[in-house]
Amino acid sequence: MYKRTSRAKECTQHYIRGDALKQLVLKQLQQFLSYLQQFERVFIRQQIDATFAERRYELSAKQRQIGKDEKRIKELDRLFRKIYEDNVNGKLNDERFYKLSDGYEAEQEQLKQEIEALTAEVSEADTEATNVAKLIAVTKKYTRIDELTPEILNAFVDKIVVHEREKKDGKRTQKIDIYYSYVGIVDIPADEEMREMEQEYMQRTKRQTA
């Protein structure tokens, strides 16, 4: 497994010749760069759609919960002021006041922690969309990749995972997963499939702007 932070490629339990791995990774990066150069809009749309299609309802529910929690915190502030006034005016004894105030404070603290956690999760979705833009910015710096250099690896690759060899139909194969910077594994479609996606994207754009 290659990691961007390491100086050398590491492969635990699974072995593949360095030259062969280098050529395979180089070929994949060339295809990946070509894919993004030709079908950048499709790639961006796919990544964003995949992110938000899976999480749209989940994020919406969390945003609603944040609103409810914030509303409840304000209500607890109002209740605390009321019991304080009642205590000062003698309408509420000290024992009851402290019991209620401790409960309100504990609930407020719990709500604040929940809001913080939910806000972080919602922000994470925005970060995922930003990461796509970061990867696109990286590809803009290269017109082609002819050699696999440390600079290229650092720019495009987060890690490379070499799987165990398998024997199928009398032939030995070995799967290699490349995790691209910011977005992870990307399935690169065949040329014909990419053209179909491009046409679909153009038609969708026309309908939205009509």
Side-chain angles (χ1 to χ4, degrees):
M1 179 175 69
Y2 160 85
K3 290 186 178 180
R4 184 165 48 189
T5 54
S6 62
R7 293 184 178 180
K9 291 183 283 293
E10 300 172 356
C11 181
T12 305
Q13 296 181 341
H14 311 312
Y15 173 75
I16 184 170
R17 289 178 56 188
D19 290 343
L21 176 62
K22 187 174 181 179
Q23 290 303 313
L24 284 170
V25 173
L26 175 59
K27 183 179 179 181
Q28 287 294 314
L29 285 177
Q30 289 171 336
Q31 292 176 344
F32 181 63
L33 181 61
S34 176
Y35 168 43
L36 290 189
Q37 288 172 338
Q38 295 181 67
F39 302 98
E40 176 184 319
R41 291 175 300 181
V42 175
F43 174 76
I44 293 173
R45 187 73 263 162
Q46 278 187 320
Q47 292 294 317
I48 293 177
D49 284 352
T51 297
F52 289 101
E54 295 175 359
R55 304 183 63 184
R56 184 178 295 116
Y57 297 109
E58 177 186 347
L59 292 172
S60 178
K62 288 176 179 178
Q63 288 172 329
R64 289 195 301 270
Q65 187 61 48
I66 289 173
K68 291 179 181 178
D69 288 350
E70 290 175 339
K71 184 178 180 181
R72 177 58 179 167
I73 286 175
K74 291 180 180 179
E75 182 181 355
L76 289 169
D77 282 336
R78 182 182 60 79
L79 290 172
F80 184 83
R81 287 194 299 270
K82 185 178 185 304
I83 64 171
Y84 176 78
E85 292 173 358
D86 287 347
N87 179 252
V88 171
N89 295 329
K91 296 180 180 179
L92 189 68
N93 62 45
D94 290 345
E95 181 181 356
R96 183 61 176 164
F97 168 75
Y98 288 124
K99 184 176 181 179
L100 288 172
S101 62
D102 287 347
Y104 292 160
E105 287 178 358
E107 185 179 353
Q108 276 192 328
E109 183 60 32
Q110 182 179 352
L111 289 168
K112 288 176 181 178
Q113 291 178 3
E114 182 175 305
I115 288 173
E116 184 178 349
L118 290 171
T119 301
E121 292 178 20
V122 171
S123 297
E124 184 181 346
D126 295 333
T127 301
E128 290 171 355
T130 302
N131 284 343
V132 177
K134 288 181 179 179
L135 178 60
I136 295 298
V138 169
T139 65
K140 297 292 187 183
K141 299 177 182 179
Y142 300 89
T143 55
R144 56 185 294 173
I145 298 176
D146 296 318
E147 183 182 1
L148 195 63
T149 65
E151 179 188 0
I152 295 291
L153 282 173
N154 287 331
F156 284 92
V157 178
D158 182 43
K159 67 180 178 179
I160 298 170
V161 177
V162 180
H163 293 268
E164 188 176 359
R165 292 182 181 181
E166 296 181 352
K167 189 173 183 180
K168 187 176 182 180
D169 298 329
K171 296 181 180 180
R172 288 190 174 276
T173 61
Q174 192 164 14
K175 184 181 177 183
I176 297 175
D177 288 331
I178 298 178
Y179 290 75
Y180 293 97
S181 301
Y182 306 112
V183 296
I185 293 177
V186 175
D187 292 325
I188 303 175
D191 291 344
E192 184 177 347
E193 185 180 355
M194 285 191 285
R195 292 191 182 90
E196 291 177 356
M197 289 189 299
E198 176 74 8
Q199 291 177 358
E200 181 182 346
Y201 172 82
M202 295 297 294
Q203 291 174 357
R204 185 194 307 177
T205 303
K206 288 180 180 178
R207 289 196 298 267
Q208 290 175 347
T209 56

